[in-house]
């Protein structure tokens, strides 16, 4: 019957077969409450959209920012943006992806047409959802429903679900042999940190670097600084339990600010003589952003903001810090053009150019996602 229909119909038969999928998802109904594992309905992909079976997803502090109100988004919502999976179906007009492909969803898309995509200087595609509280697909609608209610999307990805729908410009096809439970980290944490060092800051051999915050992204910055040939890599965190992993990945010094009575930027300047060549704030706190800038070499130091800034907060600093020559930069997704770079990063991982295993502390079943966030919040 299917074969007969396919020969008779003037359009691809695969479009006839696309149906609503019922699956499990971790729905966040309101702020500061646990995730609720619910049965949701995932609509078929529309034109230029891709429906993905999520195989593995990481937990990122940015997801937690939504829960606590640090990043303002509409509720109810399905969070998650660091994942890997297999294409289940595609909408009309999709040419770069086919069912069965292994893919990574992209929270920073690459449309290939906007000014940032066309420029060699930028990577933040105008189709991105960062800083937007819309929570919809590009056409202004949702693909998730639960208990009769529309459920919002997060950063165009929403990976805390067994199936999700993304736009074609927000997904990258990767090596079919790649282990999805490892390379999912290339969807955010690893790429963001590693790229901040090698892409955004362009750390140079022999330079001195400091990294504020030793979560998965901060450790990835450490890896990037080491790969770039930095001679001294200072890791800063108030949780000394993280120092062993930082040293394993390339840190030469580890500093806990609570061990000192003076401001941390003064400690770092004393340690290095004139301040560091490159500093990275990978926490998302205005106080540490200011400290990261202040600890840079006064004339040619470069400080990069990697952590997501908290909503509705302002930062105050002495403008003389910049007047003398320092550079203050931001970095989203490590400066990578996502659709072009993610497959290459996966290929580099497969060639053992970098490791991902040390960044994975726990592997939990999907239904224990709340336990995963507890581990995140307790620094474990």
């Amino acid at each position: 019957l299917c074969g007969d229909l396919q020969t008779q119909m003037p359009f691809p038969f695969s479009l006839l077969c696309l149906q609503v999928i019922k699956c499990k998802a971790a729905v966040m109904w309101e702020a500061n409450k646990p995730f609720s594992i619910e049965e949701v309905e995932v609509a078929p992909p529309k034109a230029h959209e891709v429906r993905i079976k999520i195989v593995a997803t990481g937990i990122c502090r940015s997801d937690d920012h939504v829960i606590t109100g640090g990043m303002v988004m509409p509720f109810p919502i399905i969070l998650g943006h660091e994942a890997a999976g297999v294409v289940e179906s595609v909408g009309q007009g999709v040419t770069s992806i086919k069912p069965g492909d292994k893919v990574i969803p992209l929270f920073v898309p690459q449309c290939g047409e906007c000014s940032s995509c066309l420029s060699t200087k930028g990577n933040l595609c105008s189709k991105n959802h960062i800083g937007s509280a819309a929570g919809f697909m590009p056409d202004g609608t949702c693909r998730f429903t639960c208990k009769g209610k529309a459920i919002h999307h997060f950063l165009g990805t929403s990976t805390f679900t067994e199936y999700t729908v993304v736009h074609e410009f927000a997904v990258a096809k990767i090596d079919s042999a790649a282990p999805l439970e490892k390379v999912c980290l290339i969807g955010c944490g690893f790429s963001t940190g590693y790229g901040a060092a090698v892409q955004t800051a362009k750390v140079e051999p022999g330079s001195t670097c400091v990294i504020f915050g030793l979560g998965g992204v901060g450790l990835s910055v450490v890896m990037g600084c080491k790969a770039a040939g930095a001679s001294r890599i200072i890791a800063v965190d108030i949780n000394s339990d993280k120092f062993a992993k930082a040293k394993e990945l390339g840190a030469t010094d580890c500093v806990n600010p609570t061990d000192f009575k003076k401001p941390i930027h003064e400690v770092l300047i004393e340690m290095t003589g004139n301040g560091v060549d490159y500093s990275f704030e990978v926490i998302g706190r205005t106080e540490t952003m200011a400290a990261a800038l202040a600890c840079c070499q006064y004339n040619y130091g470069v400080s990069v903001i990697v952590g997501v800034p908290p909503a509705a907060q302002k930062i105050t600093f002495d403008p003389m810090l910049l007047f003398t020559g320092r550079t203050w930069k931001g970095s989203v997704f490590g400066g990578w053009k996502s659709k072009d770079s993610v497959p290459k990063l996966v290929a580099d991982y497969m060639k053992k150019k970098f490791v991902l295993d040390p960044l994975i502390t726990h592997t939990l079943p999907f239904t224990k996602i709340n336990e995963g966030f507890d581990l995140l919040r307790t620094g474990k």
Side-chain angles (χ1 to χ4, degrees):
L1 177 63
C2 287
D4 291 339
L5 278 173
Q6 195 165 10
T7 58
Q8 294 168 21
M9 294 298 173
F11 44 82
F13 173 69
S14 59
L15 298 179
L16 293 175
C17 298
L18 300 188
Q19 299 176 357
V20 170
I21 288 178
K22 291 184 178 180
C23 68
K24 287 187 181 134
V27 177
M28 180 59 53
W29 290 102
E30 55 183 304
N32 295 302
K33 292 291 176 69
F35 288 93
S36 178
I37 303 296
E38 306 276 7
E39 181 181 83
V40 299
E41 295 178 342
V42 185
K46 294 184 180 181
H48 301 290
E49 295 178 354
V50 178
R51 189 161 59 183
I52 304 167
K53 177 180 174 62
I54 298 295
V55 173
T57 184
I59 289 174
C60 180
R61 179 67 73 178
S62 300
D63 302 307
D64 195 46
H65 285 334
V66 178
I67 299 168
T68 60
M71 182 186 293
V72 178
M73 292 295 295
F75 293 96
I77 192 169
I78 294 175
L79 298 174
H81 63 284
E82 179 183 84
V86 179
V87 174
E88 177 271 335
S89 58
V90 299
Q92 192 170 7
V94 173
T95 57
S96 62
I97 303 283
K98 66 181 185 303
D101 285 345
K102 283 188 175 181
V103 294
I104 289 179
L106 307 171
F107 76 93
V108 172
Q110 185 181 348
C111 72
E113 299 173 350
C114 70
S115 59
S116 290
C117 285
L118 294 173
S119 170
T120 58
K121 299 177 183 178
N123 75 315
L124 188 55
C125 174
S126 66
K127 302 293 195 299
N128 83 85
H129 291 255
I130 297 169
S132 164
F136 299 108
M137 293 293 287
D139 70 352
T141 63
C142 299
R143 300 293 170 271
F144 303 115
T145 55
C146 181
K147 299 177 181 177
K149 292 185 177 180
I151 309 297
H152 292 93
H153 294 250
F154 179 56
L155 298 181
T157 51
S158 290
T159 63
F160 291 166
T161 170
E162 292 177 322
Y163 288 86
T164 192
V165 177
V166 304
H167 196 278
E168 185 180 12
F169 56 50
V171 61
K173 179 182 175 180
I174 62 170
D175 187 338
S176 62
L180 300 184
E181 73 280 6
K182 307 285 178 64
V183 299
C184 63
L185 298 181
I186 292 174
C188 177
F190 173 77
S191 303
T192 296
Y194 190 81
V198 303
Q199 276 278 114
T200 305
K202 293 181 170 56
V203 170
E204 298 158 323
S207 57
T208 301
C209 303
V210 62
I211 297 93
F212 289 77
L214 300 176
V217 182
L219 291 172
S220 298
V221 178
V222 171
M223 294 166 68
C225 291
K226 182 180 179 182
S231 62
R232 195 171 185 188
I233 302 170
I234 305 169
V236 178
D237 202 293
I238 59 173
N239 183 352
S240 297
D241 292 342
K242 298 188 176 187
F243 291 166
K245 184 67 67 69
K247 287 187 174 180
E248 174 191 339
L249 294 174
T252 57
D253 306 78
C254 292
V255 177
N256 188 328
T258 62
D259 292 339
F260 302 88
K261 292 183 179 178
K262 61 178 64 175
I264 186 61
H265 74 274
E266 293 182 11
V267 173
L268 293 165
I269 290 172
E270 288 180 6
M271 285 178 64
T272 56
N274 287 313
V276 299
D277 298 309
Y278 300 97
S279 69
F280 302 85
E281 201 282 349
V282 203
I283 303 168
R285 294 175 58 87
T286 55
E287 299 91 338
T288 40
M289 290 174 187
L293 178 66
C295 75
C296 280
Q297 204 278 346
Y298 73 95
N299 180 224
Y300 53 77
V302 176
S303 186
V304 183
I305 293 176
V306 186
V308 177
Q313 287 196 24
K314 306 298 180 186
I315 191 166
T316 301
F317 67 99
D318 181 353
M320 186 61 72
L321 289 170
L322 293 178
F323 175 76
T324 57
R326 290 178 182 87
T327 300
W328 213 356
K329 305 185 76 170
S331 180
V332 178
F333 195 58
W336 305 108
K337 287 187 183 291
S338 59
K339 210 168 172 72
D340 292 341
S341 300
V342 163
K344 294 176 184 175
L345 287 167
V346 171
D348 284 348
Y349 169 75
M350 298 297 284
K351 294 174 186 172
K352 296 182 167 49
K353 291 188 177 180
F354 55 80
V355 295
L356 292 174
D357 286 50
L359 301 177
I360 301 171
T361 57
H362 299 77
T363 301
L364 300 171
F366 181 46
T367 53
K368 292 190 176 180
I369 189 169
N370 286 306
E371 293 181 30
F373 273 85
D374 289 339
L375 290 165
L376 173 79
R377 292 165 188 147
T378 53
K380 296 176 183 177

